[in-house]
Each structure stands twice: as structure tokens, then as C-alpha cells.
Amino acid sequence: MQNILTIDLEEWFHANYHDDVFDPHKTYEVRIIQNTKRLLALFAEHQAKATFFVLGSVAEQHPRLIREIAEAGHELATHGYAHQLIYQQTAAVFKEDVSQAKKRVEDIVGKSVIGYRAPSWSITPKSIWAWDILEELGFVYDASVFPIKTYLYGLPTSPRFSYHPQYNGRTLNLLEVPSSTVRILNKKIPFAGGFYFRALPYPLITRGIKTVNREGHPAIVYLHPREIDPGQPRLTLSPKENLIHYYGISGCEKKLIRVLKKFKFTSVEGYYGL
Ligand SMILES: [Zn+2]
């Protein structure tokens, strides 16, 4: 059974725990090229294909890197332009941010971008209007929903597996591909990416993927290039955010390699034949 591998293509400082984690006008050390090339090498070695949700500002700065990802046969999708939380934007600002970002990637690869993932899973009960705008902008799927509730994100009423969302009494054509969870004691527990992937031991991650596969669905694994980079500079964060952002980074690449060896991965587009 195929699973789905996704990378949010952003820099080590693109975080939204609070408003001023990073200054969009400041110049920071570039780490994304070396980290992404390392991911591409690992994916090639293990015959894995992925979807890269590219931040528009990253595409603008590193068009060669985006071309390289496309030439390696991966899917290019968008992660918005400036990594701002949707639920803090107006619909008009969101629409402008996403159309800019979509166009940046399309201009580089010469192909339509059909997928979107929100910065920090920010399609929440306050911002489901975003689905309607994504459909209007020509997106075929969205992968922005975490079907749980955390202090930063989550749409707890969301189904666990892909579906066409309802908006204003209408079923959208847009396909929602929510992040993977397993059901334990009637709770949805994340395991397949980011902090959860870094924090959980390898046997629990494989058990999670196998459980989702037994239910007839692909697991959606997600990572960021910075998560395999123990040498990155450190952001000033609260102790809780520091833990979420950096826990387990030193062992993450090794764990990823084990997962790539054990399971088959493709892109969202490849899995659903979009
Ligand atoms: Zn992001």
C-alpha cells in the first residue's frame, strides 16, 4: 500500500507561535538549500515521491531549488506566500497571499499547482471560509486540516480521512486530505509528522501507519527541511514552543530513513490520480 509523503518547504525560522517569531523583511541565514537537497537524495535512494508545499517567498528566493524538486519527479504545491495564519487574515488578504504564491510556483515549473497546505494547519472552525476561496482559485485539493484540537490549530469535527467539505450548505469539489491520526479510546491521536514524528519512538510511528493502512487509507507523513538539521540557528521561543520546535531533531533523519525503508511513498497528486 502506498502512503503519502509531504514536505512544507520553508526555512528554519518560519514559525507562527506568536506574531514576531520572524521578521519578513529581515535577512536570515539560508539553510533550506542544503536541507532540501538532503531530503531529495534520501527520497531518490528509497524511490519515494513527495508533495512539496512551497512557501511563495521561498520560491521567489530559490527558483533553482524548486526546479530541481520538479525535475526529480515530485509534486509542487503551495504553502501560501508569507507564512501567516489564515485565522488572523481577512478573506481578501488570504486570497491575495495564496494567488501570489500559486503563481510564483507555476511560473517556475510551468505547470498548474493544484494543492494547498495552510501555514501551521490554520484552517480552523474560524477560517473554513478558506476552502471556498481555494476552490475559486482552482485548487483541486487542500491538506490544511488537523482533525484534532491544539492551542494553535485544529478542526476537531473533521473526519480522519479524505473528504469533500461542506461549506454554506454546498458540497465542495475541493478534496480535503487531513493529517493522519489514529483513534485510541475515542480520541484522535497524531503521529505522522512534525513534533509528533520527532517525539514518538519509531515503533509507534510504524504502528500508526500500519493501523491507518489497515483501515484502507494512506498515512500522510509531513516534515519540514529544518527537522533534519540539528545545526540550525535557534529562535527565541517560550519553553513550550522551544520543545515543540526543536524536540527530537537530532534523531529525526535516522527515523525518516527507517520509515522510508519500510513503507512506500508517493505524492498527494500521485496517490489520488489528480
Ligand atoms: Zn509552514
Side-chain angles (χ1 to χ4, degrees), residues 34-53:
Q34 66 191 69
N35 294 336
T36 305
K37 283 183 190 262
R38 177 71 188 135
L39 288 174
L40 289 175
L42 290 176
F43 298 168
E45 193 184 331
H46 297 94
Q47 287 100 46
K49 290 285 182 273
T51 296
F52 285 74
F53 293 97

Side-chain angles (χ1 to χ4, degrees), residues 8 10 14 79 83 118-120 224:
D8 294 356
E10 61 190 45
H14 287 123
H79 193 38
H83 215 274
S120 307
H224 305 80

Side-chain angles (χ1 to χ4, degrees), residues 51-104:
T51 296
F52 285 74
F53 293 97
V54 182
L55 200 63
S57 57
V58 165
E60 206 166 71
Q61 239 187 315
H62 307 292
R64 267 218 328 245
L65 183 66
I66 309 307
R67 267 194 290 275
E68 204 174 310
I69 298 168
E71 280 158 14
H74 301 290
E75 179 192 2
L76 273 306
T78 180
H79 193 38
Y81 185 82
H83 215 274
Q84 302 300 305
L85 298 166
I86 300 180
Y87 52 77
Q88 288 177 357
Q89 291 176 318
T90 62
V93 169
F94 170 72
K95 192 173 174 182
E96 180 57 26
D97 177 278
V98 177
S99 11
Q100 284 289 328
K102 187 175 191 286
K103 194 172 176 322
R104 286 283 182 286

